[in-house]
Amino acid sequence: MSLVKLTIKGISYSQTQNGAYALILNEVDGERKLPIVIGAFEAQSIAIALEKEIKPPRPLTHDLFKSFADRFDIVVKQVIIHKLVDGVFYSSIICERDKIEEIIDARTSDAIALALRFSAPIFTYKNILDKAGIYLNANPSDNENAEDDGALSTPETFGIENDSKPDNSYAKLSLSELHELLESAVQDEDYEKAARIRDEISKRES
């Protein structure tokens, strides 16, 4: 079976499961998206790995695994989403140590969180993408089945509200105050707040 390379498109709030998030993966050489429902902790861990400028004051579980692997010269070479059963994705982490390759089973959310930290590629098999891949319609009014296509909201960075309205309380603050708030939010490990503040800073500095 042929492998298809995936990239992370974004994370959105899941509108089908309370307290869950949808990780949206995009095929590199195509238009299909692979949505995977993940928990809040995993969504936070993946978002932090994507947001390079946000550094947790204490290591998260996946950061700890990365440090442990580095200490013992273990490298994650790639992640493969290899099976889909009853809506559940199964993944393998391909590791290497002393030129010996090992395959470790993992939850897909954990595997992707680690792949980001090791800058390892993410793959799935073509038959899985054929079965579970979807096209997210950018203009729902063009499709009479728009309500079905909208089961997942537009991919967004973790911590951004679905309605995408700006936080007026941040708009009133100066850049220096925003930077202080950002540092404080990171220290408090409030990464949702940190993401909103970072976006306000980015808008000002762009």
Side-chain angles (χ1 to χ4, degrees), residues 148-183:
D148 294 333
D149 292 340
L152 297 171
S153 60
T154 302
E156 299 170 344
T157 302
F158 179 80
I160 304 301
E161 298 297 334
N162 276 336
D163 59 9
S164 299
K165 293 180 181 177
D167 192 319
N168 291 329
S169 63
Y170 297 142
K172 299 174 183 177
L173 300 176
S174 67
L175 269 176
S176 59
E177 290 171 326
L178 288 171
H179 280 290
E180 289 177 6
L181 270 182
L182 177 60
E183 183 177 347

Side-chain angles (χ1 to χ4, degrees), residues 20-182:
Y21 293 80
L23 173 66
I24 312 296
L25 302 175
N26 189 78
E27 63 175 325
V28 171
D29 296 319
E31 297 297 325
R32 287 176 295 182
K33 312 293 188 292
L34 190 66
I36 300 174
V37 176
I38 61 176
F41 172 78
E42 291 79 11
Q44 183 183 75
S45 181
I46 290 170
I48 289 169
L50 290 169
E51 306 293 346
K52 303 296 185 183
E53 69 270 26
I54 297 179
K55 301 293 184 185
R58 296 179 298 166
L60 300 179
T61 302
H62 299 110
D63 297 320
L64 177 61
F65 184 95
K66 173 67 163 60
S67 298
F68 185 91
D70 288 344
R71 185 67 58 88
F72 291 95
D73 298 321
I74 300 168
V75 177
V76 171
K77 305 293 289 184
Q78 62 183 10
V79 162
I80 300 176
I81 303 170
H82 64 83
K83 187 167 65 173
L84 173 61
V85 179
D86 296 329
V88 178
F89 292 91
Y90 294 79
S91 294
S92 296
I93 300 173
I94 314 301
C95 303
E96 186 178 274
R97 180 173 184 264
D98 294 334
K99 297 183 179 181
I100 299 174
E101 189 174 275
E102 298 285 350
I103 301 175
I104 301 173
D105 287 333
R107 295 189 307 168
T108 297
S109 54
D110 290 329
I112 290 174
L114 290 174
L116 285 170
R117 286 163 171 81
F118 283 89
S119 299
I122 303 165
F123 296 95
T124 192
Y125 289 111
K126 183 179 181 298
N127 65 322
I128 292 178
L129 195 57
D130 289 341
K131 181 178 179 181
I134 63 171
Y135 292 91
L136 291 183
N137 193 356
N139 187 0
S141 62
D142 293 341
N143 192 326
E144 60 183 6
N145 297 320
E147 290 185 2
D148 294 333
D149 292 340
L152 297 171
S153 60
T154 302
E156 299 170 344
T157 302
F158 179 80
I160 304 301
E161 298 297 334
N162 276 336
D163 59 9
S164 299
K165 293 180 181 177
D167 192 319
N168 291 329
S169 63
Y170 297 142
K172 299 174 183 177
L173 300 176
S174 67
L175 269 176
S176 59
E177 290 171 326
L178 288 171
H179 280 290
E180 289 177 6
L181 270 182
L182 177 60

